[in-house]
Amino acid sequence: MSVNREELKRLIDRIPEQDAMEVLDFIGYLNMKREREAAQQLDIKALSEDDDVFYMIQKSREDRNAGRVYGEQEGLDYLRIKMKEFERGESL
């Protein structure tokens, strides 16, 4: 079903102002949602064709399998150790 702008304006003119504002807000919301979904599809398509993304995912999997991925506490402990090494002038 397709409604052109003139038909839409005539329909809106027939309904009370408050209801018309709600209809216009709803139409704006639908347009925003449609644009967001279209943008997300474009991003997914671009990402699916990006070799760097595949490389990063592969490296992340390798890191996880090799135990180089830290949970929150392990990550904080690692950073504390590295900060102490840095403060002592040791190489990172």
Side-chain angles (χ1 to χ4, degrees):
M1 180 177 141
S2 177
V3 178
N4 68 37
R5 290 186 183 271
E6 291 303 316
E7 289 174 307
L8 185 58
K9 287 179 185 178
R10 282 195 301 272
L11 288 172
I12 290 173
D13 286 342
R14 291 183 178 173
I15 57 179
E17 185 175 336
Q18 182 61 35
D19 292 339
M21 294 299 293
E22 290 177 16
V23 168
L24 288 173
D25 286 345
F26 182 68
I27 291 170
Y29 165 77
L30 291 176
N31 284 333
M32 179 187 68
K33 184 177 176 185
R34 186 185 69 217
E35 290 170 4
R36 185 178 335 131
E37 287 172 356
Q40 288 174 342
Q41 289 300 316
L42 290 175
D43 291 343
I44 291 170
K45 184 173 181 352
L47 289 173
S48 71
E49 297 170 352
D50 190 335
D51 290 336
D52 290 334
V53 171
F54 284 122
Y55 177 78
M56 288 187 289
I57 292 170
Q58 180 183 5
K59 285 299 181 189
S60 177
R61 285 180 180 156
E62 289 172 6
D63 286 342
R64 183 171 304 282
N65 290 338
R68 294 186 297 254
V69 176
Y70 302 109
E72 182 180 348
Q73 189 59 49
E74 295 95 353
L76 289 173
D77 293 342
Y78 173 81
L79 290 174
R80 284 187 187 108
I81 291 168
K82 288 300 178 182
M83 286 299 295
K84 287 179 183 176
E85 290 175 1
F86 177 75
E87 289 169 353
R88 289 191 302 256
E90 297 177 14
S91 67
L92 299 174

